[in-house]
Amino acid sequence: MALIVPDGAGAQGPAIELRRVDALNETTPPPVGLFLATPLTETQLARAVDWSIRNQVILYSPFEGDVERGATAGLSIEAKVLPFVNQHTLSASGVELKPFFLKVARVHQ
């Protein structure tokens, strides 16, 4: 388990705990967010999306097409880099993001 702890003048926020999760099931303690480090098959991603909705966890995927397939968030790299969120998954999971974040994000309906 690794911790990222804000330090220095003006640093705010809690420490962030990083842990590797190799499988998701109903006994997996839900984190605040889950970052996909490797691409998933359609079936694996669908199960991860369902799990993240049930557990109110942000599922972040950097892989192209995953937000459209249900991942809560990713990146949209166009003329500028923007956050990319799936509104359906976000609403279904009950996770609330700050209005400013949604204002600057690209949103998949």
Side-chain angles (χ1 to χ4, degrees):
M1 162 175 48
L3 289 178
I4 299 174
V5 181
D7 61 358
Q12 297 179 8
I16 299 171
E17 178 184 326
L18 302 177
R19 63 184 158 103
R20 181 182 175 134
V21 177
D22 292 315
L24 298 174
N25 57 50
E26 296 314 311
T27 61
T28 303
V32 171
L34 187 62
F35 181 91
L36 297 182
T38 58
L40 301 179
T41 66
E42 291 281 337
T43 302
Q44 291 170 327
L45 182 62
R47 287 196 328 242
V49 168
D50 290 342
W51 183 90
S52 70
I53 289 171
R54 282 194 315 277
N55 290 280
Q56 298 182 308
V57 171
I58 294 173
L59 177 62
Y60 176 86
S61 174
F63 303 108
E64 188 173 344
D66 281 2
V67 171
E68 294 88 340
R69 295 187 301 148
T72 312
L75 288 177
S76 175
I77 300 174
E78 298 173 0
K80 56 185 174 179
V81 176
L82 299 172
F84 189 24
V85 297
N86 183 304
Q87 185 63 54
H88 173 76
T89 304
L90 192 60
S91 297
S93 66
V95 172
E96 292 184 25
L97 299 176
K98 293 192 180 222
F100 174 77
F101 183 84
L102 292 174
K103 184 185 274 188
V104 300
R106 178 175 167 215
V107 179
H108 176 72
Q109 299 292 332

